[in-house]
Amino acid sequence: MLNIVLFGPPGSGKGTQAENIISKYHLVHLSTGDMLRAEIAAQTKLGMEAKKLMDKGELVPDSVVVGMIENKLDANPSAAGFVFDGFPRTVKQAEALDELLERHKAPIKAVLSLHVSEDELTRRILRRGATSGRADDQNETIVKNRVLEYRTKTEPLAKYYSGQAKLREVTGERAVEEVFTSLCQEIDKVLASNSR
Ligand code: B4P
């Protein structure tokens, strides 16, 4: 089973690249951002609670996203693997994911980390905000808060995964196709080392 984490700050292109990766490698895309937005669209209680935090650029509680991921893993027993996009975002979430995947005997094979400068992240998100209708994409203060949440709560995960020798760095500030080529090179290295 090929389980990959796409890691990086908001707007670094995780969602964009996840789409390309799942279609090339026939994997299942698990985006906690998309799952939360679906809950908001369906106006569930969980969605309404999450919306209050997301609109401010804050993370939703670990227990909420871990529960959603667990349900999706259980709902896809015959998947060839998963691309985790926007999850985990805290060390607690990463530990929970390791435990869940241990149960499925299918650990994370690689964590692909996208690097993009702060100026470019803000530019991309505000550009998307002009058409996306996402409240968290429309205001520079909220975007800055999302990046701050990333720096304080999510970035420490890089150390967690480099400690497991799974972290692979990729420059994300290039054309979408160029970034995709580099990500595929990293995935192919992982596949080659597994088949040895
Ligand atoms: P997400 O939905 O995960 O949103 P994101 O970080 O903005 O997205 P991403 O990095 O995928 O960027 P994308 O490809 O779309 O999270 C939203 C919110 O949900 C969080 O703030 C949080 O509140 C909550 N949440 C989600 N998961 C959570 C968790 N695990 N725990 C707690 N809370 C959670 O790209 C952005 C833009 O850049 C697009 O317009 C794209 O077209 C453009 N772009 C992409 N690649 C480009 C390139 N190479 N060049 C130019 N533009 C590019």
Side-chain angles (χ1 to χ4, degrees):
M1 202 180 213
L2 180 59
N3 287 329
I4 293 169
V5 171
L6 275 178
F7 183 70
S12 56
K14 303 181 296 288
T16 306
Q17 297 297 338
E19 292 297 336
N20 296 333
I21 292 171
I22 55 155
S23 82
K24 174 161 177 176
Y25 295 94
H26 311 292
L27 305 174
V28 174
H29 183 192
L30 296 185
S31 159
T32 40
D34 288 349
M35 291 174 209
L36 290 166
R37 283 185 288 277
E39 294 283 341
I40 293 171
Q43 300 195 332
T44 63
K45 187 163 176 278
L46 186 157
M48 293 303 100
E49 289 301 315
K51 184 173 171 14
K52 289 184 208 153
L53 297 163
M54 290 167 76
D55 284 358
K56 289 189 277 184
E58 290 172 17
L59 296 184
V60 306
D62 292 333
S63 57
V64 172
V65 286
V66 170
M68 290 192 314
I69 288 286
E70 189 169 10
N71 291 342
K72 294 285 179 185
L73 290 177
D74 291 343
N76 289 279
S78 51
F82 296 92
V83 174
F84 297 93
D85 159 13
F87 179 90
R89 262 177 156 99
T90 64
V91 171
K92 261 214 156 99
Q93 291 179 21
E95 288 168 349
L97 180 60
D98 279 348
E99 260 180 57
L100 286 175
L101 293 177
E102 171 75 19
R103 262 194 257 152
H104 290 254
K105 301 265 172 284
I108 296 291
K109 291 277 165 54
V111 176
L112 305 174
S113 173
L114 290 167
H115 287 262
V116 176
S117 69
E118 217 142 303
D119 284 351
E120 172 67 7
L121 295 175
T122 310
R123 253 195 309 274
R124 283 184 191 179
I125 293 176
L126 293 177
R127 200 185 306 136
R128 180 172 64 185
T131 53
S132 70
R134 277 176 56 172
D136 60 342
D137 276 353
Q138 299 192 12
N139 165 313
E140 192 161 348
T141 311
I142 298 170
V143 173
K144 294 239 180 287
N145 196 34
R146 288 166 66 187
V147 174
L148 182 67
E149 285 274 272
Y150 173 79
R151 298 278 173 237
T152 51
K153 297 178 181 166
T154 308
E155 213 163 48
L157 272 181
K159 210 166 156 201
Y160 179 88
Y161 284 119
S162 62
Q164 296 185 354
K166 290 178 180 169
L167 194 72
R168 292 167 177 265
E169 317 270 0
V170 171
T171 305
E173 207 162 327
R174 291 175 292 160
V176 171
E177 302 70 32
E178 286 175 48
V179 178
F180 181 54
T181 302
S182 296
L183 291 170
C184 292
Q185 282 165 354
E186 294 303 325
I187 295 171
D188 292 342
K189 280 186 221 163
V190 171
L191 289 172
S193 71
N194 276 336
S195 63
R196 261 184 241 133

